[in-house]
Amino acid sequence: MGKAKRPNVKAYRSNKPYSKGPAANTKSRSSQKPTNGAKPPSPSVPFSSTDRILLVGEGDFSFSSSLLNAHGCTHLITTSYDKVSALRNKYPQAASNIAALEAEENCIVRYGVDATKLGKPGVVDGGGGGKEVKKGGFDKVVFNFPHVGGLTKDVNRQVRHNQELLVNFFKAALPLLAPSGLIIVTVFDGEPYELWNVRDLARHVGLKAERSFKFQASAYPGYQHARTLGNIEGGGGWKGVDRPARTYIFEVKEGEGAPRSRKRIEHSDSEDD
């Protein structure tokens, strides 16, 4: 969903080249059917109504709208890489979501924000969100389905481009966290996404995975996955919300930043290393 200009940094390469083979088994323990009549676990929603949340790389703003309307999260700064005109052309359905967000006193919508330049002044020409973002203090910084778009048809190069995007997003988001703040990233399961090595990328910039769990779009009423390149003309048959995906919760490593006072929260469908 999100997209940013390609930063000029060293990527963290995968240890294996991409190749099409048998489909990866992306079913996690949490997707197994319950036995002995047990009820399936409730979807994990790592947000609280009291959280101050920064969202980057939003497409049609339906995820932000769901946080507001379904989960009572009213302290939102939600941003899109696209400028207003481009966004409205790519996602005509965004208008109603934006209107709902802007009607809330403590919600701010910003356009033209580069996820790799957060905290930079201004929002013109790929700025980082202006003064609202620069002052930081966020409990959660969220990047759902980061992707640079179709920069190349070479899958291995595309993997490296997306690794660069994530590394620089992590670096930009770290200074904006409140004490015990978390960075939340959701990516699709399977190849080529597993080649991104999201956990390793985060570790290299001073983060560690607190937990991960299956992303369930149904936990966010009204949310629809928005393609980086925009809607498919005529509607199409591609449904991102039906594709298996995983959410990673990252915290600052001990000694890398502010003291960590947050107690670990266990979820029945978590799958930690």
Side-chain angles (χ1 to χ4, degrees):
M1 168 180 344
K3 176 179 175 184
K5 296 179 181 178
R6 180 187 174 193
N8 184 22
V9 299
K10 180 180 178 181
Y12 295 92
R13 297 171 179 259
S14 169
N15 292 326
K16 60 178 181 177
Y18 173 76
S19 62
K20 289 186 178 180
N25 180 12
T26 59
K27 182 179 286 187
S28 68
R29 290 194 297 269
S30 61
S31 62
Q32 301 294 334
K33 294 183 178 180
T35 57
N36 300 324
K39 293 183 179 180
S42 299
S44 289
V45 177
F47 302 101
S48 165
S49 60
T50 60
D51 284 339
R52 186 164 181 260
I53 303 170
L54 170 64
L55 299 104
V56 303
E58 282 287 86
D60 64 3
F61 289 94
S62 61
F63 187 85
S64 297
S65 180
S66 182
L67 286 184
L68 171 64
N69 296 315
H71 298 287
C73 299
T74 58
H75 296 272
L76 303 176
I77 298 180
T78 179
T79 72
S80 168
Y81 177 79
D82 293 308
K83 305 294 179 61
V84 177
S85 58
L87 184 135
R88 294 188 184 279
N89 287 333
K90 289 167 65 173
Y91 315 111
Q93 72 275 19
S96 60
N97 296 322
I98 293 169
L101 289 161
E102 290 182 334
E104 178 63 37
E105 181 180 3
N106 294 316
C107 290
I108 298 171
V109 179
R110 290 287 180 263
Y111 310 95
V113 176
D114 188 331
T116 68
K117 298 179 180 178
L118 301 175
K120 300 292 179 66
V123 296
V124 180
D125 297 327
K131 62 182 181 181
E132 298 94 351
V133 172
K134 189 175 182 180
K135 64 185 179 183
F138 295 102
D139 300 300
K140 310 283 171 58
V141 178
V142 184
F143 200 169
N144 287 323
F145 302 101
H147 203 280
V148 296
L151 293 182
T152 174
K153 293 183 179 180
D154 184 289
V155 178
N156 291 313
R157 290 183 180 178
Q158 188 80 343
V159 166
R160 291 195 292 273
H161 291 321
N162 282 294
Q163 288 177 321
E164 291 170 355
L165 168 62
L166 276 170
V167 166
N168 284 286
F169 160 67
F170 287 141
K171 289 179 178 178
L174 265 170
L176 303 179
L177 293 175
S180 300
L182 301 172
I183 294 176
I184 301 176
V185 174
T186 298
V187 297
F188 287 121
D189 281 341
E191 293 186 343
Y193 303 96
E194 67 179 17
L195 301 180
W196 295 7
N197 295 320
V198 177
R199 291 176 184 264
D200 289 340
L201 299 179
R203 189 181 70 249
H204 281 291
V205 298
L207 296 166
K208 67 176 181 179
E210 183 203 49
R211 65 187 187 277
S212 70
F213 49 86
K214 178 182 178 182
F215 175 80
Q216 294 179 268
S218 61
Y220 303 95
Y223 166 69
Q224 292 293 323
H225 184 83
R227 297 170 68 246
T228 300
L229 300 179
N231 293 345
I232 296 177
E233 187 174 352
W238 187 85
K239 301 292 184 183
V241 293
D242 297 331
R243 185 171 184 172
R246 179 156 288 269
T247 296
Y248 297 87
I249 310 293
F250 296 105
E251 64 180 2
V252 180
K253 289 181 184 178
E254 296 290 346
E256 296 286 345
R260 313 300 297 175
S261 59
R262 187 178 184 276
K263 292 183 178 179
R264 178 187 176 87
I265 301 175
E266 297 291 346
H267 289 272
S268 57
D269 65 345
S270 64
E271 184 175 305
D272 299 301
D273 285 345

